[in-house]
Amino acid sequence: MARLNINGKFFNLTVDGDTPLLWAIREQAGLTGTKYGCGVAQCGACSVHINGEVQRSCAVAVKDVKPTDKIITIEGLSPSGTHPVQKAWLALEVAQCGYCQTGQIMAAAALLKKKPKPTDADIDDAMTNICRCGTYQRIRAGIKLAADGGVASKAKG
Amino acid sequence: MTKSDTTEKNRVTLSRRGFIITGAAATGGLAIGFNVAGVTDALAQKVLGAAGNEVGAWVLIKPNDQVVIRIARSEMGQGTLTGLAQLVAEELECDWSKVTWEYPTPGQNLARNRAWGDMSTGGSRGIRASHDYVRQGGAAARQMLLQAAAAEWKVPVEEVSVDKGTVSHSKSRKTTTYGKLATAAAKLPVPDLKTMKLKDPKDWKIAGKGLKRLDTVDKLVGKQIYSIDFKTPGMLNASIKDSPVHGAKIKSFSADKAKVMPGVRGVYQVGVGAVAVVADSWWQANKALDAVEVSYDDTNGSRIDSAAIAAVLRGGLDATENVSVANKAGDAKAAIAGAARKVEAVYNAPYLHHVTMEPLNCTAKWTADGCEVWVSTQNGDAALAACAEAAGHPPSKCEVYKMHLGGGFGRRGMSDFITKAVLLAKQMPGTPVKLLWSREEDMRQGRYRPITACKMEAGLDDKGNLIGLSMRITGQSILASVAPARMQNGVDFIATQGLQPIDGPQGNEGGFGYTIPNLTIDYAMRNFHLLPGFWRGVNNNQNAFYIECFLDEVAKAAGKDPLAFRRDLMSKNPKTAKHLAVLDAVAKKAEWDKPLPTGIFRGCAQQMGYGSYVAAVAEASVDARGKVKVHRLVMGTDCGHVVNPDQVDAQVVGSVAYGLSASFFEEITLKAGIVEQQNLDTYEIMRMADFPTKVETVTVPSGGFWGGVGEPTIMVAAPAVMNAIFAATGKPVRSLPLKNQKLRA
């Protein structure tokens, strides 16, 4: 049994303590926007925010998450889907197959929270998620667009 | 707008077998509603009537003017879905802002005499092999709608016109919309598609434009349902482990420990080599799978190591028997023997894995009456066949619900994972079972890009002209394993893809662009137990690496500029004018003749494949420790016609990552017959930091033909970079991946 705060809502989940958070989110909480890619914290498809920090949820056991820890998944990043990163991703058509993009968006959103104007080196360091479609160039452009005041300011100016 | 509107998702839809399933639950949110001709059931008619009217097979029009375009090919990120919709909409003359889409099912396709044609999605064929009939489908629907208007207004159809779905008759100033005409239009006979006159691409208004994809929004908010996300009431979850040595059989297994673990509902053998655990949750199933003890009879497999495979290939490089000639002119052996200068080299390319980000999975439900699967597949037709075969039911009693793919790259063109899901579900009649492979299982049970090697020999005359070239490819055949029936006289022509005579039967899939008076390109097949498969770009990738990198070695020996050396081999033959034009286009954009900053070097490459002509110029540096930085890549494509330039750019830039990741980092090796790389901690994939600083695309569509886009540029990205590295270090890169090479002493 685990009590988790996901996207501001409490879930009482019937799950073993060693279950990775990823699978509790996907299978018990039913939020499938967080993806399974490798299970060994390599690909980043399972990225979520825990207390504002981006974490690979496949490598976090449910027993290590406290009910007071605030977990945010892609579904909770912005209720209307209009986080500046999401808007930039839409404007630049970043996604191809899209499978890794929820994780990429979570990683990018966490980066921008820490570094509102990231350098290329900051982006290289923070964005270690794998995209097999190879959307890296547009991801970088998307982060810069979001950092630069986002889609709205670009449209004006 | 991303797909049929949300209200549609919850409507009742009708399958072709006449039973009713609920849209969102049973189809994972995809609208699979069909206005099936001849349906008499009152409820179904009521629902379908509201859902819209089918005007020809490709178009469904709703009373609110929404246009649903049927997409037969699979969407795996390559943008085919939007491109195909643009082609239909162009001829239909509808309002693009009201366009949505849906996948017809393979079962429907079968039941309706293949109304939507080929459902396979590979070989960069999504658009190039269906552009004509989808446009004809759009044109036929337009004609039916205009006829309906003309009949209603009692005017000649020639006097009726349409603009963005609004139909008018100027003399009487009458107007109406497609939505209002659809009911009447649907009752008209569908005209013969072949008689449809299609627009000249220069008159396109919707096609040819960089319109936004129709399927983006859900991907950004976590709502896109891939088959891994599919849920249906009563569904159980399964994890599977097949024999790590391909081909080995299970001797016995003990499920005693696994069976008593939490959530476990059953442990089953699947086929001859696999065991699957079925549980309430996948995590429980996967954990219990580790507790199953299996012993294999591996006399049917092979315990070969990578070193032994390399030795076999070395033999293949010099074999004199059972060699198939793919391309020949003059007498290469004699010309090289008598040449003023000879250049020789052996090149190698390893086994590779596809690594689709979404691990392979399929949900199946088997009953005594039929079988249904929900799956991300590149090949709806083959999926239906695999389902039927494994289920032991005729295809007419089976159905496949296609979903978006979290990557395909050729792996999901095969149906082995569908077969396994059905064989498992068959052991739990009536229960839907989602079989998801762990990443480790996915790595072990790949259908790998085959290992090959190439011996290159060239002869130069005293002026540095290439007078003879010999290429001996050796290695594993894809066709011999995957599709032996496609071999020609026992020969796998795909092994020499990209090196084929331009005028030959395979010239359009990979025609050799150089005219060399004495030429021999041949192939010595050497097969191993590891199962191969089509990998995005297929053998064009390795073959472009071999020829394009070796040509730089030869150019250097001749004391010539690599670009000028290539131009000499292409400019005299009008049949290679397109090859040369795209090479010239990238050279111009990259300012080939302009000096670069100290330490940065250029390389170029060209190749033809999948109906398109591609070329690249790379700028790279190699630091004192041997670390490579790619500063710039200019990628050129002549694909004849461009349906969506923004998606072409996305595919080309993305293909650079696939090609460079493979050539820098990726390698599958074998120890005692088992794949050593079990997850992404040991199978390295290119990430943001190693991606080139800047990739520019140059698209030069010359018209008159339709070429593919998803694959072609992969084959030139790596050779161009390797040639820049050669220019920087003076040492050719002859063996991939680059991570195994010491670039600085």
Side-chain angles (χ1 to χ4, degrees):
Chain A
M1 196 73 175
R3 186 168 166 78
L4 299 178
N5 179 347
I6 305 172
N7 301 331
K9 218 172 109 186
F10 280 100
F11 289 79
N12 293 312
L13 306 176
T14 310
V15 63
D16 287 344
D18 68 347
T19 305
L21 179 60
L22 164 67
W23 292 102
I25 290 170
R26 286 182 57 83
E27 299 200 293
Q28 274 79 39
L31 299 168
T32 54
T34 305
K35 300 302 187 195
Y36 169 58
C38 68
V40 293
Q42 283 290 320
C43 76
C46 64
S47 298
V48 299
H49 296 172
I50 304 178
N51 302 324
E53 296 279 337
V54 67
Q55 300 262 342
R56 293 187 173 171
S57 64
C58 72
V60 178
V62 163
K63 65 176 183 301
D64 297 326
V65 184
K66 296 187 287 291
T68 51
D69 290 332
K70 291 189 171 112
I71 301 160
I72 302 291
T73 70
I74 186 70
E75 290 89 347
L77 181 66
S78 151
S80 54
T82 53
H83 186 281
V85 172
Q86 288 167 318
K87 281 161 79 176
W89 254 236
L90 184 62
L92 298 181
E93 291 270 15
V94 172
Q96 289 188 29
C97 89
Y99 191 81
C100 77
Q101 294 300 342
T102 53
Q104 303 278 4
I105 289 167
M106 295 309 280
L111 166 66
L112 289 172
K113 212 169 171 186
K114 272 193 178 159
K115 293 185 175 167
K117 300 277 177 193
T119 63
D120 280 322
D122 293 334
I123 294 172
D124 286 347
D125 286 346
M127 299 302 293
T128 57
N129 295 20
I130 293 171
C131 172
R132 203 58 171 146
C133 298
T135 63
Y136 299 125
Q137 183 154 296
R138 291 194 189 200
I139 288 174
R140 188 186 297 279
I143 292 171
K144 288 180 176 175
L145 176 58
D148 202 20
V151 176
S153 84
K154 280 280 166 188
K156 276 180 215 151
Chain B
M1 191 56 74
T2 57
K3 62 178 69 154
S4 298
D5 61 1
T6 47
T7 54
E8 171 68 14
K9 281 184 192 173
N10 296 317
R11 285 185 203 282
V12 178
T13 60
L14 186 79
S15 90
R16 97 194 121 78
R17 289 193 302 282
F19 60 76
I20 288 167
I21 53 176
T22 56
T27 69
L30 300 177
I32 310 185
F34 280 89
N35 190 359
V36 182
V39 169
T40 52
D41 179 87
L43 172 64
Q45 278 297 14
K46 193 178 162 194
V47 171
L48 292 169
N53 284 283
E54 185 178 291
V55 185
W58 294 91
V59 176
L60 187 90
I61 296 177
K62 299 188 182 184
N64 66 359
D65 292 326
Q66 197 175 50
V67 173
V68 182
I69 293 175
R70 270 74 180 266
I71 306 296
R73 308 280 180 170
S74 300
E75 177 59 45
M76 49 191 151
Q78 83 282 36
T80 261
L81 184 154
T82 304
L84 289 169
Q86 283 177 269
L87 289 171
V88 175
E90 179 66 55
E91 296 292 340
L92 180 59
E93 297 272 8
C94 62
D95 180 351
W96 179 253
S97 72
K98 293 181 176 145
V99 168
T100 66
W101 60 273
E102 66 185 15
Y103 290 129
T105 64
Q108 287 280 350
N109 201 28
L110 185 70
R112 294 179 61 180
N113 197 24
R114 297 184 64 77
W116 296 282
D118 184 0
M119 287 194 157
S120 75
T121 313
S124 300
R125 281 192 297 271
I127 284 174
R128 72 181 168 119
S130 45
H131 64 86
D132 48 358
Y133 57 76
V134 302
R135 288 187 292 156
Q136 288 160 355
R142 182 191 67 220
Q143 185 172 310
M144 291 160 77
L145 288 154
L146 296 188
Q147 273 170 353
E152 188 185 318
W153 295 332
K154 300 188 173 54
V155 299
V157 70
E158 294 75 25
E159 292 180 7
V160 177
S161 64
V162 58
D163 180 41
K164 289 184 184 156
T166 298
V167 180
S168 5
H169 182 248
S170 57
K171 283 186 192 165
S172 64
R173 297 194 177 172
K174 282 178 177 156
T175 66
T176 186
T177 67
Y178 275 179
K180 295 191 181 84
L181 292 166
T183 307
K187 291 178 186 135
L188 297 173
V190 181
D192 179 5
L193 294 188
K194 300 239 166 13
T195 65
M196 292 294 107
K197 191 178 176 311
L198 300 177
K199 289 185 190 177
D200 188 319
K202 72 174 166 43
D203 299 325
W204 282 351
K205 294 174 284 192
I206 296 170
K209 304 286 182 283
L211 303 178
K212 297 282 186 204
R213 296 174 63 121
L214 292 171
D215 60 340
T216 295
V217 174
D218 284 0
K219 292 174 181 173
L220 309 183
V221 297
K223 282 188 189 159
Q224 178 67 54
I225 302 296
Y226 306 87
S227 59
I228 194 174
D229 305 317
F230 174 72
K231 285 176 224 168
T232 190
M235 185 183 84
L236 297 175
N237 292 276
S239 184
I240 192 166
K241 185 175 182 183
D242 207 333
S243 164
V245 179
H246 291 191
K249 291 179 180 173
I250 290 176
K251 223 187 307 186
S252 63
F253 70 94
S254 165
D256 296 350
K257 286 181 202 157
K259 273 182 178 162
V260 297
M261 288 174 71
V264 173
R265 301 292 194 100
V267 181
Y268 302 94
Q269 183 169 341
V270 177
V272 296
V275 174
V277 175
V278 181
D280 292 332
S281 77
W282 185 80
W283 178 251
Q284 291 169 328
N286 191 52
K287 204 173 149 187
L289 186 61
D290 277 343
V292 180
E293 290 157 14
V294 187
S295 69
Y296 298 99
D297 169 4
D298 61 12
T299 50
N300 287 306
S302 168
R303 304 293 279 175
I304 200 167
D305 286 351
S306 281
I309 290 174
V312 173
L313 294 194
R314 279 195 297 277
L317 291 174
D318 294 317
T320 52
E321 287 177 18
N322 296 322
V323 173
S324 52
V325 176
N327 201 343
K328 190 168 170 57
D331 185 342
K333 201 174 175 185
I336 295 166
R341 179 131 198 221
K342 290 174 215 166
V343 187
E344 274 187 37
V346 171
Y347 281 72
N348 284 282
Y351 281 116
L352 296 177
H353 195 279
H354 297 83
V355 192
T356 57
M357 290 303 295
E358 178 193 10
L360 295 176
N361 66 85
C362 174
T363 301
K365 181 181 172 185
W366 187 94
T367 68
D369 300 323
C371 186
E372 293 170 287
V373 301
W374 293 261
V375 64
S376 302
T377 173
Q378 281 177 247
N379 193 336
D381 301 320
L384 182 65
C387 171
E389 190 184 0
H393 290 312
S396 60
K397 297 254 183 194
C398 297
E399 187 55 291
V400 173
Y401 303 102
K402 287 165 55 182
M403 299 184 168
H404 265 40
L405 286 70
F409 314 119
R411 183 64 183 91
R412 285 191 160 91
M414 285 164 276
S415 302
D416 51 311
F417 55 103
I418 298 169
T419 298
K420 285 176 178 171
V422 172
L423 290 175
L424 176 61
K426 201 174 173 179
Q427 299 180 67
M428 300 188 91
T431 301
V433 180
K434 183 198 285 178
L435 176 61
L436 165 64
W437 296 15
S438 66
R439 175 59 69 192
E440 290 81 2
E441 180 69 359
D442 191 288
M443 293 299 295
R444 285 189 297 262
Q445 302 300 331
R447 294 294 181 266
Y448 306 89
R449 189 180 96 174
I451 192 165
T452 67
C454 181
K455 185 172 190 174
M456 311 280 316
E457 295 167 88
L460 293 164
D461 69 12
D462 55 5
K463 296 185 188 70
N465 296 310
L466 181 60
I467 52 167
L469 178 74
S470 164
M471 280 183 85
R472 160 63 58 80
I473 314 269
T474 188
Q476 191 162 353
S477 155
I478 299 172
L479 288 186
S481 169
V482 174
R486 285 181 60 199
M487 295 175 85
Q488 289 166 358
N489 304 318
V491 175
D492 180 350
F493 52 88
I494 288 174
T496 48
Q497 204 179 33
L499 308 169
Q500 296 275 340
I502 299 173
D503 296 330
Q506 297 302 321
N508 193 49
E509 296 305 300
F512 192 58
Y514 301 111
T515 303
I516 300 163
N518 299 288
L519 175 75
T520 299
I521 298 172
D522 57 19
Y523 171 54
M525 183 165 75
R526 291 292 182 273
N527 292 333
F528 305 97
H529 79 294
L530 197 70
L531 295 167
F534 297 103
W535 189 98
R536 188 179 181 187
V538 197
N539 286 79
N540 263 316
N541 293 320
Q542 300 99 309
N543 294 343
F545 165 59
Y546 301 149
I547 180 67
E548 290 303 299
C549 291
F550 183 66
L551 274 186
D552 270 37
E553 291 196 50
V554 179
K556 191 179 180 185
K560 293 185 182 176
D561 170 75
L563 175 65
F565 190 73
R566 283 176 174 76
R567 298 195 88 254
D568 276 350
L569 299 174
M570 302 164 87
S571 57
K572 293 176 194 85
N573 185 351
K575 287 176 185 165
T576 54
K578 287 193 176 86
H579 292 74
L580 179 56
V582 69
L583 180 62
D584 280 343
V586 289
K588 188 180 169 198
K589 171 88 175 175
E591 300 180 288
W592 181 265
D593 295 321
K594 205 172 152 185
L596 287 168
T598 308
I600 301 180
F601 295 83
R602 283 196 187 93
C604 70
Q606 71 79 29
Q607 177 94 335
M608 187 265 162
Y610 310 102
S612 288
Y613 303 83
V614 295
V617 171
E619 296 174 8
S621 59
V622 183
D623 73 13
R625 290 171 305 154
K627 171 127 177 91
V628 176
K629 178 75 198 165
V630 182
H631 303 273
R632 185 186 185 203
L633 256 174
V634 179
M635 307 293 298
T637 305
D638 177 0
C639 51
H641 294 291
V642 171
V643 176
N644 186 319
D646 189 54
Q647 287 310 310
V648 171
D649 175 85
Q651 282 308 291
V652 171
V653 177
S655 80
V656 168
Y658 212 68
L660 294 189
S661 178
S663 44
F664 275 57
F665 303 117
E666 296 177 32
E667 178 181 34
I668 288 287
T669 54
L670 290 174
K671 191 167 184 185
I674 296 173
V675 166
E676 292 191 277
Q677 293 74 21
Q678 301 262 318
N679 206 320
L680 305 185
D681 47 355
T682 46
Y683 192 82
E684 197 180 348
I685 290 171
M686 181 172 275
R687 296 163 198 261
M688 175 80 83
D690 289 311
F691 190 75
T693 310
K694 186 165 64 168
V695 180
E696 296 159 60
T697 59
V698 180
T699 310
V700 284
S702 58
F705 67 99
W706 293 72
V709 171
E711 293 168 282
T713 43
I714 301 176
M715 56 202 187
V716 287
V721 170
M722 298 306 144
N723 285 336
I725 293 168
F726 177 37
T729 63
K731 254 173 70 180
V733 177
R734 291 172 175 164
S735 191
L736 299 178
L738 201 57
K739 70 172 182 186
N740 296 343
Q741 308 303 316
K742 207 170 175 187
L743 298 178
R744 296 285 188 203

